[in-house]
Amino acid sequence: MRFFSFHLMPYPDLPPDYDGPAWITCPNEFFDPRLGGDLYNRYIDELVYAEELGFDGVCVNEHHQNAYGIMPSPNLIASILARLTSRVRIAVVGNALPLYDPPTRVAEEFAMIDCISGGRLIAGMVVGGGPEYYSFSLNPAHARERFAEAHDLILRVWTEPGPFEFTGKHYKLRYVNSWPRPVQQPHPEIWIPGVGSLETLEFVAKHHYAYMGIPYFHISVFERMFTMMREACQKEGYDADPLQLGWLVPIFVADTDAEARRRYEEHFWYFVRRLLPGINISPPGYTSVRSSENIMKNAGTFALNLDSWDEVVDGQYAIVGSPETVTELLAANVERLGVGNLLGLFQLGTLPAAETKQSLELFAAEVMPKLRASFPGTELAAPPAAAPATATS
Amino acid sequence: MTTLVRTTLDSALGAIEVHRGGHGGPAPLVYLHSAQGEGPGATLLEELAATRLVVAPLFPGFGDSEGLQHIDDIEDAAFHILDVLDRSGLPQCDLVGTSLGGWMAVELAVRWPERVRRMVLVNPVGLYVSGAPISEIFGRRPSELAAELFADPDYPLAQLMRAMDAMEADPSQIPFELVRPILQSQAATAKVGWNPYLHDPKLPGRLHRVTAPTRIVHARQDGIVPRAHAEAYAAAIPDAEIADLDGAAHLAVLERPDEVVKLVLEHLGD
């Protein structure tokens, strides 16, 4: 089991009377640059502190034009972390490949971070969220094609001697020859986040990558998703390594269950009611019809529909409580889901620095050691042969 | 009993669903539908088929028409429609297009003007007019969109769209068979119209190539396309005029078929 501290870098200061979406059209006059600077530095400190507390890694991600996560360039933050830390894996989960044109930019920046960190990068690749296709005016009907082509290009950049020519449908490059190259050979570990699209699961299984289940759904949705992932790996002729599966979940620990809820609940609701609205927009053609059906089935359990704390607890949308309660719930779910990577969101919504720090400390001191003892194993088995660099699904 | 029957045409992109029927008139009438995918069973087409041969192909992604994976932009659409005309045995036709279909009609007419005898565009998109933006059609609440598409809030489809708002929070309650065709047709519309948004920056410089006498029907309550677009078309197409229609909005072809048929036949002649 590997433990990661994941940060969304949310904006905690939307005006109380604003009830619009936090995405695409949320007025950027609400962004106070001075506060923004404080937040970036505080959030970076929280990630760096995770190393001191014994986490295996830290995670950052990419979103644009929104208050949910003010990190349009996770690579900037990851490069700072590469310099400020010395041991943890740095997972960028991920770069939204279709938004980079040409996507050799991703290969270059990831290779830089891998060099600066001495080979600690985990390279996440993602199609990008639905809102991103509005924010970039990028055609969502081309999203999957561009992602697949960009992925092939990046893998070739890392594994084939340059210069070479790349001629795809969306990218035509006459001289591909990235300086630098990544420290990790043949390439950094690759993670793909997803919400259960079949195409994505099949793609991850085929390439022996790791699949990160994106949160804010009822726990039963994750159970189905990881079962589908294991089935997809079996179809490819192998059993999924638990370290190929990651579960992302908000976590808060305090001395007692009652105290944990008392200190956490309002911050969780800010996140759900103020920062999630707008995240679930699905632009036309963004998802295949086959996957849309599956995703629509789960939509009713999306956290935006939550009304009461009982529902949060029942569906395990967040794991909140005393060290004993949190240990017990996490152990049961790790067992049930069969995951080998726990990605904890320790800061969420408006949760202040002091609360975040205390929760992280309690988790590291009283939860993590017990889970480590129950779920040993932190080395990913190598795939039988190097994953093919050019085949697409 | 309907006059139009469903046929399948083997196109370069795959099987295309074509609704065809009626006879008469100086030239066959080809109807190109909007992003709504209207055609099968539409009153408008049945009325036109009373005096004309009507051919109404469904664009890839609509109905059972295949080949959307080969469409990337509006030029692909124009070449596809040319292919449909060729394979339907139509060396020349009258073209009638609504909204997205109006845009496709013009893209065909600027490239192969000899293929079009006369043309009627109903609330066409296709142009960028500074200060008169085309309303957003993607990602809107169905109830908001309904108010821009229909003049009469009680029109059945407008009522249905308002009812869809209530199901938005939990889409798992909507039968997927209802959703599937909408997802497909929206993806098809996005392929040609996401960016540039429902227009072709090259089109204005090509409009002088149109030779067909053209009537642009503008519905006065159209909440999607401002009248300035009809004016821009009328100013740049050599032989063009605007016909204003009262009591109708963007989907006038569905809501006011009798009036639209009258305006179409009046322009096409018999």
Side-chain angles (χ1 to χ4, degrees), chain B residues 79-254:
Chain B
F79 275 92
H80 166 68
I81 292 161
L82 179 69
D83 184 51
V84 167
L85 295 185
D86 283 350
R87 291 173 192 243
S88 301
L90 303 173
Q92 196 182 53
C93 65
D94 286 344
L95 263 185
V96 179
T98 286
S99 185
L100 180 69
W103 179 17
M104 290 182 185
V106 180
E107 293 282 354
L108 186 102
V110 297
R111 287 174 173 78
W112 305 284
E114 70 283 359
R115 303 300 292 263
V116 190
R117 193 188 71 99
R118 297 179 80 84
M119 184 157 71
V120 179
L121 312 172
V122 184
N123 301 321
V125 296
L127 297 179
Y128 179 83
V129 179
S130 183
I134 299 170
S135 173
E136 177 72 82
I137 62 166
F138 299 116
R140 299 278 303 281
R141 294 179 73 85
S143 58
E144 289 174 10
L145 210 48
E148 297 176 5
L149 294 174
F150 300 102
D152 177 6
D154 291 329
Y155 183 77
L157 196 50
Q159 291 186 36
L160 179 69
M161 289 175 76
R162 280 202 305 281
M164 282 170 68
D165 270 9
M167 292 188 268
E168 219 176 36
D170 187 359
S172 58
Q173 300 305 305
I174 309 172
F176 193 70
E177 308 79 71
L178 286 182
V179 177
R180 182 195 303 273
I182 298 173
L183 290 176
Q184 279 176 336
S185 57
Q186 287 182 345
T189 306
K191 275 246 172 139
V192 296
W194 186 268
N195 184 10
Y197 180 62
L198 294 175
H199 75 279
D200 172 3
K202 297 277 190 192
L203 190 55
R206 296 170 177 172
L207 289 174
H208 69 93
R209 300 277 306 156
V210 177
T211 53
T214 300
R215 169 174 276 188
I216 301 116
V217 175
H218 171 69
R220 288 195 197 271
Q221 284 164 265
D222 187 349
I224 304 287
V225 186
R227 192 174 191 277
H229 291 248
E231 291 160 10
Y233 271 124
I237 294 175
D239 182 356
E241 64 180 27
I242 297 177
D244 288 296
L245 178 59
D246 285 313
H250 193 64
L251 289 178
V253 290
L254 287 181

Side-chain angles (χ1 to χ4, degrees), chain A residues 4-8 57-63 68 71 73-75 77-78 81 89-97 100 110 113 121-129 132 147 189-194 210-215 246-248 341 343:
Chain A
F4 290 82
S5 178
F6 196 124
H7 219 306
L8 295 171
V58 291
C59 307
V60 290
N61 71 344
E62 173 175 344
H63 286 299
Y68 163 97
M71 194 161 27
S73 173
N75 299 359
I77 304 295
L81 294 169
R89 305 298 302 272
I90 298 164
V92 181
V93 199
N95 278 182
L97 304 188
Y100 295 79
F110 275 175
I113 297 166
L121 175 77
I122 291 174
M125 300 183 188
V126 60
V127 175
E132 260 85 55
F147 176 80
E189 183 179 338
I190 292 174
W191 283 8
I192 312 280
Y211 185 79
M212 298 298 129
I214 297 180
W247 173 39
L248 174 52
N341 300 293
L343 282 50

Side-chain angles (χ1 to χ4, degrees), chain A residues 298-345:
Chain A
N298 299 334
T301 82
F302 190 61
L304 263 173
N305 298 322
L306 289 170
D307 288 323
S308 71
W309 187 251
D310 285 349
E311 288 175 0
V312 177
V313 174
D314 283 351
Q316 311 209 41
Y317 290 85
I319 304 294
V320 179
S322 67
E324 295 72 32
T325 301
V326 169
T327 305
E328 192 184 312
L329 289 171
L330 287 176
N333 282 317
V334 166
E335 187 77 49
R336 179 177 168 193
L337 301 175
V339 295
N341 300 293
L342 180 67
L343 282 50
L345 273 170

Side-chain angles (χ1 to χ4, degrees), chain A residues 326-392:
Chain A
V326 169
T327 305
E328 192 184 312
L329 289 171
L330 287 176
N333 282 317
V334 166
E335 187 77 49
R336 179 177 168 193
L337 301 175
V339 295
N341 300 293
L342 180 67
L343 282 50
L345 273 170
F346 291 91
Q347 195 284 332
L348 196 75
T350 42
L351 193 72
E355 301 280 359
T356 306
K357 186 162 181 277
Q358 276 184 31
S359 169
L360 270 169
E361 286 167 351
L362 270 176
F363 180 87
E366 300 192 30
V367 178
M368 200 152 63
K370 290 180 187 141
L371 292 174
R372 278 201 195 282
S374 307
F375 303 98
T378 56
E379 288 304 314
L380 188 61
T390 52
T392 53

Side-chain angles (χ1 to χ4, degrees), chain A residues 21 99 123 135 164-165 187-188 237 242 245 263-264 311 318:
Chain A
L99 307 185
S135 293
F164 62 85
E165 184 176 10
H187 58 75
L245 307 174
R263 284 162 56 182
Y264 187 67
E311 288 175 0

